[in-house]
Amino acid sequence: MAYTAKIGPSILSSNLSCLGAECVRMMACGADYLHLDVMDGHFVPNLTFGHPMVECLRKSVGPDPFFDMHMMVSRPEQWVKPMSAAGANQYTFHLESTTNPGNLIKEIREAQMKVGLAIKPGTTVEEIAPWANQIDMALVMTVEPGFGGQKFMDDMMPKVSWLRSQFPSLDIQVDGGVGPDTIHRCAEAGANMIVSGSAVIGNEDPRSVIALLRTVVSEAIQKRSLDR
């Protein structure tokens, strides 16, 4: 089993007026990567930021932090090259947003980024299957994308379990309402890449929350390897 526990704070939950410092703080608190939510006001109702800010953040935090771009946009093809040039490491697009996932995966690879493929709660997990061997990570949304602070959708966990059973070495990410109260269900289902926003960033001691999330996931991975 090649996958490991990775915790990525969702920086949209941080103080946006000092985003560079917040990113540095999260990495110092033990984050494995940073999750950056890009919303275009079309694919989802909300509007966040684009590649110019990613470029500024990269200059601010240096080359090391891994930028996982969650592209909640109607035309993901349009932003592959700009995001790569801005310093993004992984480009996660929504299956629902494109008619040609295969071509988009190829474009992302050619732009020297890792490939993530995301599905909304209403999309069946089997739709990921044709692409699973061409991607680095599958993202199962555990809330409707577009807004923070929503309640975790427990009924998404069978999707995670199915992916883990079918693709044992795939990185599987969960995003939405994930924190100390819900991490056990995510870990048991087989998720290993954990996006957490307010539960980490809004806590007085982010380091301890990140450590807790990682421990729960690592223990579940260990248990799974022993059970095989």
Side-chain angles (χ1 to χ4, degrees):
M1 267 186 287
Y3 64 97
T4 58
K6 299 188 188 87
I7 313 302
S10 178
I11 64 157
L12 198 58
S13 298
S14 64
N15 181 346
L16 298 179
S17 68
C18 47
L19 209 42
E22 287 281 76
C23 289
V24 170
R25 182 171 75 98
M26 286 301 114
M27 296 307 295
C29 285
D32 298 291
Y33 66 100
L34 297 169
H35 184 83
L36 286 74
D37 286 318
V38 176
M39 309 182 194
D40 66 353
H42 294 278
F43 183 70
V44 288
N46 224 339
L47 190 65
T48 58
F49 51 79
H51 58 278
M53 202 182 80
V54 176
E55 186 177 355
C56 290
L57 274 181
R58 178 57 79 198
K59 286 174 182 168
S60 175
V61 303
D64 293 338
F66 187 92
F67 285 1
D68 167 36
M69 309 304 305
H70 182 189
M71 302 298 296
M72 289 170 268
V73 298
S74 293
R75 290 188 291 166
E77 298 82 3
Q78 186 178 349
W79 308 110
V80 172
K81 285 178 180 169
M83 281 297 179
S84 175
N89 301 104
Q90 178 164 285
Y91 196 92
T92 301
F93 68 94
H94 270 265
L95 188 56
E96 306 89 354
S97 70
T98 181
T99 54
N100 194 339
N103 194 54
L104 184 50
I105 289 167
K106 186 166 160 283
E107 286 178 17
I108 296 166
R109 290 247 180 266
E110 285 172 355
Q112 309 295 310
M113 292 182 290
K114 286 191 164 190
V115 180
L117 181 56
I119 53 169
K120 289 181 175 184
T123 303
T124 60
V125 69
E126 289 82 3
E127 292 179 55
I128 289 180
W131 315 106
N133 293 318
Q134 298 178 40
I135 62 177
D136 297 291
M137 185 196 83
L139 164 54
V140 174
M141 289 301 298
T142 45
V143 297
E144 282 295 337
F147 298 97
Q150 292 179 71
K151 192 172 182 291
F152 176 81
M153 297 168 75
D154 202 30
D155 55 349
M156 294 300 114
M157 291 304 97
K159 292 184 181 182
V160 176
S161 301
W162 186 85
L163 281 171
R164 183 54 70 211
S165 67
Q166 297 296 312
F167 308 102
S169 60
L170 184 66
D171 275 328
I172 302 172
Q173 186 177 70
V174 284
D175 176 13
V178 180
D181 297 339
T182 50
I183 187 61
H184 289 85
R185 281 169 279 173
C186 299
E188 283 161 18
N192 68 298
M193 289 188 73
I194 309 300
V195 176
S196 186
S198 45
V200 168
I201 295 172
N203 194 283
E204 289 178 3
D205 185 7
R207 180 184 297 276
S208 67
V209 181
I210 290 170
L212 168 74
L213 299 176
R214 187 183 293 110
T215 298
V216 172
V217 175
S218 295
E219 286 175 356
I221 292 170
Q222 197 173 6
K223 183 176 184 295
R224 190 170 289 107
S225 68
L226 294 172
D227 288 348
R228 287 179 81 184

